[in-house]
Amino acid sequence: MSWFGLLLVAHVLAAIAIIGPAFMMPLIRRSAGTVGQLRFAFGITARLAVLPKLGGFVLLITGVWLMILTRAGLSQMWLNAAILLSLLMVVLIDGWIEPRLKKIMKLIAERQDGGSELPAELGPLIKRIVPVETASQLLMIAILALMVLKPF
């Protein structure tokens, strides 16, 4: 297999490492109905969070390398749009969602009763995150579509 083929495989695997957990983590958290379940869900998502970070690094390196090998640079509009949407997604996740999740995790850590229902103050916090998580998931779909279809 050529360098291009190996890089492309690594690039696709890195994208899967990002997309899989990023889609599943919100669903896992939303399924929790008690403090104990939410604590467990945060434990799982904390362990899964390493995959998107590692995948993002590999995706960036292989993407730049592929651009160099193909001499595409930033001349293709679909690539520019995908990069822009990726940056927007990172800002949403790291700048908006993560700080709010940390606040929720802190509130959950303070609770001693693992089996009780979720505290009322968590409802509004969780509901504010859901639309932004959905938006980031839609951005992932758009980026994936741009990468596969290369429409313009």
Side-chain angles (χ1 to χ4, degrees):
M1 186 177 279
S2 67
W3 272 109
F4 180 81
L6 288 173
L7 284 173
L8 192 57
V9 167
H11 193 70
V12 169
L13 290 175
I16 292 169
I18 292 171
I19 292 170
F23 266 100
M24 292 310 299
M25 287 191 290
L27 297 175
I28 292 169
R29 282 192 305 268
R30 290 179 203 157
S31 68
T34 66
V35 172
Q37 290 173 350
L38 191 57
R39 194 175 290 133
F40 180 74
F42 273 119
I44 290 172
T45 59
R47 285 187 215 107
L48 282 175
V50 74
L51 288 174
K53 291 178 184 2
L54 179 62
F57 177 74
V58 172
L59 193 69
L60 177 66
I61 298 300
T62 57
V64 169
W65 204 345
L66 286 166
M67 286 171 47
I68 292 169
L69 284 179
T70 60
R71 292 178 174 79
L74 295 173
S75 63
Q76 299 177 5
M77 283 305 296
W78 67 267
L79 184 57
N80 293 335
I83 291 170
L84 183 65
L85 293 176
S86 298
L87 291 172
L88 179 59
M89 186 180 63
V90 167
V91 168
L92 281 177
I93 292 171
D94 291 342
W96 205 93
I97 296 171
E98 288 296 324
R100 283 152 182 83
L101 287 177
K102 287 180 183 177
K103 185 176 181 179
I104 292 171
M105 285 190 288
K106 183 180 175 193
L107 289 171
I108 291 298
E110 293 170 354
R111 301 283 299 210
Q112 298 301 321
D113 49 342
S116 68
E117 291 190 20
L118 294 174
E121 67 263 18
L122 287 182
L125 294 174
I126 292 172
K127 285 182 182 177
R128 277 187 262 165
I129 293 174
V130 170
V132 181
E133 284 178 330
T134 303
S136 67
Q137 290 170 329
L138 291 173
L139 282 172
M140 281 183 253
I141 292 169
I143 294 163
L144 184 61
L146 285 169
M147 293 291 175
V148 172
L149 301 175
K150 300 173 184 156
F152 46 88

